[in-house]
Amino acid sequence: MLVITPAGMASVLRQLQALSLPPGKLKQIHRALARKVASNTRKHARQQRTPDGGGWKPRAAPNPLYDDGKNRGRMMRRITRAAHMDAVGNAGEGKVYWANGWLGSVAKRQQEGARINLASERSRKGRKRAGADGWGNDRATRVQAMRLVSLGFQRRARGKGRQQASAAWIRKNLTINQAGLIIRILQPDAGKRKNSSVLPARPFLGVSPQENAELRQLLTELIIRYGD
């Protein structure tokens, strides 16, 4: 769980409880504050910056064996979408959360940084790549095709002996299982990879001093609106 309390807001929120407003109005106030925090969070993701304005640590350089770098867009652009990240409130608090538990765990790791178990990640991705039937009979993946091309995999060519196989040919003619087996044959030490990696923290959920002042102003307006 990610818990963010804007600086200086804790005492103000305690004073808010002391106003003895009806639970329904307190819920509306907390929800409005949470929505403002969510809006700021999406802005941080668009700008690829921390709440205090600092830049995020860049991605690791793509490994040409697995990644051609073509699908590397802005980081966290998906998990901060309104469709995934929501803001709610009740009489006691407001919160920004992810209904999808896996996306929530990704958000937490990005926010705080983490040591990733690569063996577990590979296992999860391997299950995902098993295909619709779960047995690996779907066509080879793009990553597998890139690996085979980089390893110099050749195919038979009519009247020409053998020739370098293209990624398109591999994906069309080999299954996931076949491609995986050929990779292990061509590169026996493929499984001898490191089993952990450090993901740097890239904070995006939080409040800058300016945003904190805006929240306090918003809270003042909400108290006036709902205190009548």
Side-chain angles (χ1 to χ4, degrees):
M1 177 182 293
L2 290 171
V3 179
I4 303 293
T5 301
M9 290 291 286
S11 60
V12 177
L13 293 174
R14 284 196 297 270
Q15 293 172 6
L16 175 62
Q17 300 298 321
L19 292 178
S20 300
L21 294 174
K25 291 187 176 182
L26 286 173
K27 176 180 178 179
Q28 290 176 303
I29 290 175
H30 283 122
R31 182 173 58 190
L33 293 173
R35 285 178 172 174
K36 179 63 175 175
V37 172
S39 176
N40 289 336
T41 299
R42 283 188 279 273
K43 180 184 69 175
H44 302 156
R46 287 194 302 272
Q47 296 175 343
Q48 303 283 278
R49 292 190 172 277
T50 65
D52 62 6
W56 286 345
K57 293 185 178 179
R59 296 180 189 266
N63 185 331
L65 292 179
Y66 311 99
D67 189 352
D68 58 11
K70 292 181 179 179
N71 294 326
R72 290 192 158 210
R74 288 177 174 268
M75 293 180 282
M76 283 178 273
R77 66 193 187 285
R78 294 179 181 174
I79 64 174
T80 54
R81 289 175 181 170
H84 303 309
M85 185 178 69
D86 202 0
V88 297
N90 56 38
E93 64 179 1
K95 66 178 182 179
V96 177
Y97 75 104
W98 285 261
N100 182 297
W102 181 76
L103 286 180
S105 68
V106 172
K108 180 177 175 65
R109 291 195 302 185
Q110 292 284 0
Q111 175 80 13
E112 301 174 352
R115 179 170 291 277
I116 301 174
N117 185 326
L118 295 179
S120 175
E121 286 291 301
R122 287 194 289 267
S123 176
R124 180 184 66 80
K125 291 179 179 178
R127 291 193 299 273
K128 183 178 180 181
R129 287 196 301 266
D133 66 358
W135 295 96
N137 294 320
D138 284 2
R139 293 303 169 192
T141 68
R142 181 179 65 87
V143 172
Q144 286 180 318
M146 290 171 57
R147 283 283 304 282
L148 287 172
V149 170
S150 70
L151 291 171
F153 171 65
Q154 296 182 334
R155 66 180 181 88
R156 286 189 177 184
R158 184 177 300 176
K160 298 181 181 179
R162 306 187 69 83
Q163 68 179 45
Q164 177 77 34
S166 67
W169 185 94
I170 292 169
R171 297 196 68 183
K172 181 179 179 180
N173 292 277
L174 298 182
T175 66
I176 291 173
N177 284 340
Q178 290 171 332
L181 177 58
I182 295 172
I183 289 171
R184 288 192 291 274
I185 292 173
L186 295 178
Q187 191 179 23
D189 61 346
K192 298 178 181 178
R193 291 176 278 167
K194 62 180 182 178
N195 287 324
S196 66
S197 177
V198 175
L199 177 70
R202 298 185 179 101
F204 61 100
L205 181 60
V207 179
S208 69
Q210 178 181 346
E211 292 167 347
N212 186 68
E214 293 172 355
L215 277 174
R216 295 172 71 91
Q217 178 61 36
L218 174 60
L219 178 57
T220 300
E221 295 171 1
L222 290 170
I223 290 175
I224 294 173
R225 182 190 309 172
Y226 293 114
D228 294 337

